[in-house]
Amino acid sequence: AKAMGRNQAQFYSRHFHDQVESRIRIEQDLKKALDQDQLVLFYQPQVDARSMALVGVEALIRWDHPDIGLIPPDEFIPVAEESDLIHELGQWVLDRACQQFSEWRQTSPKPFTFSIAANLSARQLKDTGLVDHLTQCLNRYQIPANQLELELTESSLESSLAALDMLKSLSSLGVNLALDDFGTGYSSLAHLKEYPFNILKIDKAFVQHIESEDQASLLKAICSFAHSLGYETVAEGIETAVHRDICADLGVKRLQGYFFSRPLPASELEARWIQSSPS
Ligand code: C2E
Ligand code: CA
Ligand code: CA
Ligand code: CA
């Protein structure tokens, strides 16, 4: 596939002047994409802030469109979320991520300790089949539940009691729950502990403007908040050695970002991070 670029990514908005028409067209094409296997997962490594060893991999979806090339998730996930497609798409993501993880597990030359993370849309918490589906994935691919992480954004805290129940059901399967983009929406901070999250994923906005003193204090405050409440932390958007060092000094457990690697196709992640990493 061609590299993903703004021009290609905005294919739909350029070709369909009417926003509604564009959305409907994406939705139709996305349905086809699910049936015709055009969706792919890329994988971005997460390293331990102390040992720099691989400790996690986040699965990030792309659409390998036959005419356009790779389309980033921000261009089509919102459309899927507005229709019921998000459920099918979300189930596909879980299934594919678990399948890939189990393949790596079987081919890895050394003990397999890292975890795999998948993103879940808040709307998927309303999918009554989610727990069953996840259980099937774990069983089918023989994945220990504690090596799977589900990432949800803060919008899933704002939703209903049903969503809270669903999070509790997921948590009781033994999977880890990470609150993604942490710090970007403060609305439910007071209720955070009522939710079964055990990992906070600090949004890249806090890491990336670290040269600003205010921003640096904010990152520090967020880390001490998270750690004092007993959360494990992951920082995303690590682009430089400075970002890496500051986050490591603040006690962030796991680091993720372009400094270590961009999201990679499965085969590349395997070659660069699984087969070749020192034991
Ligand atoms: P996210 O979950 O917050 O993912 C992090 C995004 O930051 C990814 O963009 C990743 O490629 C990018 N990133 C990683 N390291 C760096 C860095 O060092 N600097 C910068 N500037 N960016 C970095 P991506 O892959 O385009 O995904 C965008 C969003 O789409 C994700 O944000 C997530 O909300 C959503 N998404 C991706 N895959 C899925 C999925 O399977 N299901 C759902 N529901 N949403 C997904
Ligand atoms: Ca994420
Ligand atoms: Ca994030
Ligand atoms: Ca995000």
Side-chain angles (χ1 to χ4, degrees), residues 164-181:
L164 177 57
D165 277 347
M166 177 58 91
L167 285 170
K168 287 179 174 164
S169 308
L170 293 172
S171 170
S172 66
L173 292 179
V175 301
N176 293 298
L177 297 181
L179 186 56
D180 205 351
D181 299 347

Side-chain angles (χ1 to χ4, degrees), residues 190-218:
H191 300 289
L192 191 56
K193 270 289 168 183
E194 292 160 27
Y195 291 80
F197 291 101
N198 52 340
I199 299 160
L200 297 184
K201 218 171 163 189
I202 298 162
D203 193 70
K204 53 180 171 285
F206 297 101
V207 174
Q208 302 207 319
H209 308 289
I210 219 152
E211 308 77 34
S212 134
E213 214 165 287
D214 284 349
Q215 217 48 35
S217 318
L218 210 48

